[in-house]
C-alpha cells in the first residue's frame, strides 16, 4: 500500500490535540487544515466538512490556499475516477 493510503489508528485524536493546542494561531492552523486533505481517498469528504469549519474563511487567501492547494496535490482524492 502507498503511504498516503495508510490510516493511523489515533489520527482523529492527534488532529484534535493539535487543534486544541494551536487553534488561536491562524498561521499554524493553516497546516491543520491542509494536512487533513493532503492524503487519503476520503479527502474530498473531509474538504467539504472543513469548508464549514468556523475557523476557515473563503475570504482569507491563506486559508483558501492551505485547504485547496493541499487537496489538489492529493492524487488519490482529487483525481478520483468517479469525478467526485
Amino acid at each position: 500500500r502507498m503511504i498516503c493510503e495508510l490510516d493511523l489508528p489515533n489520527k482523529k485524536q492527534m488532529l484534535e490535540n493539535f487543534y486544541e493546542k494551536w487553534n488561536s494561531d491562524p498561521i499554524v492552523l493553516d497546516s491543520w487544515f491542509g494536512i487533513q486533505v493532503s492524503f487519503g481517498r476520503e479527502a474530498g469528504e473531509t474538504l467539504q466538512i472543513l469548508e464549514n469549519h468556523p475557523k476557515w474563511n473563503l475570504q482569507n487567501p491563506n486559508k483558501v490556499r492551505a485547504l485547496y492547494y493541499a487537496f489538489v496535490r492529493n492524487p488519490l482524492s482529487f483525481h478520483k475516477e468517479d469525478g467526485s
Side-chain angles (χ1 to χ4, degrees):
R1 291 185 344 182
M2 296 174 58
I3 188 78
C4 54
E5 290 181 301
L6 297 177
D7 190 25
L8 301 171
N10 57 348
K11 178 174 68 173
K12 184 177 179 181
Q13 186 62 49
M14 291 185 327
L15 288 167
E16 288 174 6
N17 291 345
F18 187 93
Y19 181 82
E20 284 300 315
K21 183 173 184 176
W22 296 105
N23 72 66
S24 63
D25 187 324
I27 294 171
V28 176
L29 199 55
D30 288 347
S31 297
W32 180 81
F33 281 107
I35 193 68
Q36 294 183 71
V37 296
S38 63
F39 61 92
R41 295 184 188 278
E42 287 75 36
E45 293 84 6
T46 303
L47 176 97
Q48 292 175 343
I49 292 167
L50 291 173
E51 287 175 323
N52 293 305
H53 191 278
K55 296 265 184 172
W56 192 82
N57 182 351
L58 183 60
Q59 303 304 314
N60 181 319
N62 291 336
K63 295 285 183 260
V64 170
R65 183 188 156 282
L67 189 61
Y68 293 139
Y69 185 68
F71 179 68
V72 300
R73 294 178 49 104
N74 175 343
L76 293 176
S77 200
F78 185 70
H79 299 289
K80 276 186 158 179
E81 289 183 22
D82 68 2
S84 63

